[in-house]
Amino acid sequence: GAGAEHGGVDMAIVSVDWLARWAPELRDASPRTMLLAGRSRGQEALAAVGAQAVADLRGKRIGVHPESSAWYFALWTLSRAGLSPREVTWIDLPSTLDAGRALREGRADAVAGLYGDIELAARDRGGKVLATTADAPHLVASVLVVRGEFAARYPDAVRRIIRGLLDAAAAVNREPFDAARLLGETAPYLGDPTDAIKSAPPTTLPDNLAFFGLSGEAPVTYDELFESAGALLVKMGRLPKAARAEETRDLGALKYVAEARGR
């Protein structure tokens, strides 16, 4: 929340569930969601050794980074299988990228993390992937969040960033080869880069307009996703009081770009 001038950042791409968790503490920075950057459609996963189904995890140790989307996905997956979070033992991992190692070393019976990392680890130990966000393609969404002060001082810069991200998304969707090559060089932990792009495809302008309720229809809107995440965090005792979704978004720049493109 400090901003770039004080060693922080002015913009970041984070998951909606992460923002719901930290929005109350970042109130002074006035974080504003401005763009849907992508959705996880198989990138986060839950894998285990010695379990054939999620319901078999009762009483088991589940390793996950507690501030990650993988943790949020794990909670959703357990709930869908009829398990309470209190029916498993949570092993806090220092980062999402530690999940595969934790499973290999036997520090956990199951882990939630990135598919490319934990699928291989589970296979090495004779385990299996039990669920991925392909089963819940609208649960984990990444959004561009901008500090309120920065957005107010540099509206043109924010619009350029949004235009650039939308253009890049269109280019990747049109011809993913170059993006896959670059991803393979910079993020090998995601596994096969072509599969990684398919598991978290960049979003288009129509995707954005529907997600934020501006035009078209989306299975889940930003407000619904943000508020459901906040409600779960309050229920889990991770948050005393949830923020309101409408206080965390500013769609002015997106609307400007959309109108300029005839949408």
Side-chain angles (χ1 to χ4, degrees):
E5 295 178 356
H6 303 284
V9 298
D10 294 314
M11 300 183 185
I13 292 179
V14 300
S15 61
V16 175
D17 57 276
W18 185 95
L19 183 61
R21 166 69 179 86
W22 292 104
E25 294 190 29
L26 295 173
R27 186 179 300 276
D28 289 347
S30 301
R32 293 293 180 263
T33 296
M34 298 200 166
L35 184 77
L36 171 65
R39 292 190 183 95
S40 178
R41 295 180 173 173
Q43 194 166 80
E44 277 81 15
L46 177 66
V49 174
Q52 296 301 309
V54 177
D56 298 335
L57 295 180
R58 183 177 280 107
K60 303 290 188 180
R61 299 167 300 158
I62 301 180
V64 64
H65 178 44
E67 303 295 346
S68 68
S69 292
W71 175 79
Y72 186 64
F73 170 66
L75 287 178
W76 180 88
T77 303
L78 292 179
S79 175
R80 197 172 72 149
L83 292 181
S84 162
R86 296 179 181 84
E87 292 182 282
V88 301
T89 298
W90 296 97
I91 306 297
D92 289 352
L93 302 180
S95 88
T96 299
L97 298 181
D98 192 52
R101 188 181 309 114
L103 193 62
R104 279 193 178 92
E105 295 175 354
R107 286 183 278 138
D109 305 303
V111 292
L114 298 173
Y115 181 89
D117 173 41
I118 68 173
E119 189 274 336
L120 186 59
R123 202 183 337 145
D124 287 348
R125 291 198 55 207
K128 63 185 291 188
V129 172
L130 303 180
T132 78
T133 46
D135 305 312
H138 302 285
L139 182 73
V140 176
S142 299
V143 291
L144 173 69
V145 179
V146 182
R147 293 180 71 247
E149 181 187 5
F150 183 90
R153 288 174 62 187
Y154 305 108
D156 288 342
V158 174
R159 292 167 187 161
R160 286 196 296 271
I161 290 290
I162 288 176
R163 282 195 295 265
L165 288 172
L166 289 173
D167 289 344
V172 171
N173 288 328
R174 186 170 56 250
E175 179 46 74
F177 177 78
D178 288 340
R181 179 175 53 78
L182 181 61
L183 192 63
E185 295 172 356
T186 58
Y189 50 83
L190 292 176
D192 183 284
T194 301
D195 289 341
I197 291 174
K198 291 178 181 177
S199 72
T203 53
T204 64
L205 180 56
D207 291 333
N208 268 271
L209 298 179
F211 183 62
F212 290 109
L214 297 176
S215 72
E217 294 184 3
V220 178
T221 66
Y222 171 78
D223 285 21
E224 292 168 339
L225 194 56
F226 184 94
E227 288 170 5
S228 64
L232 177 61
L233 290 162
V234 170
K235 183 178 179 181
M236 290 286 296
R238 297 290 183 108
L239 201 60
K241 182 181 179 181
R244 296 171 59 189
E246 64 188 34
E247 296 174 348
T248 65
R249 54 172 163 76
D250 181 348
L251 305 180
L254 179 61
K255 291 176 181 177
Y256 182 94
V257 172
E259 290 170 3
R261 297 187 176 192
R263 299 305 298 255

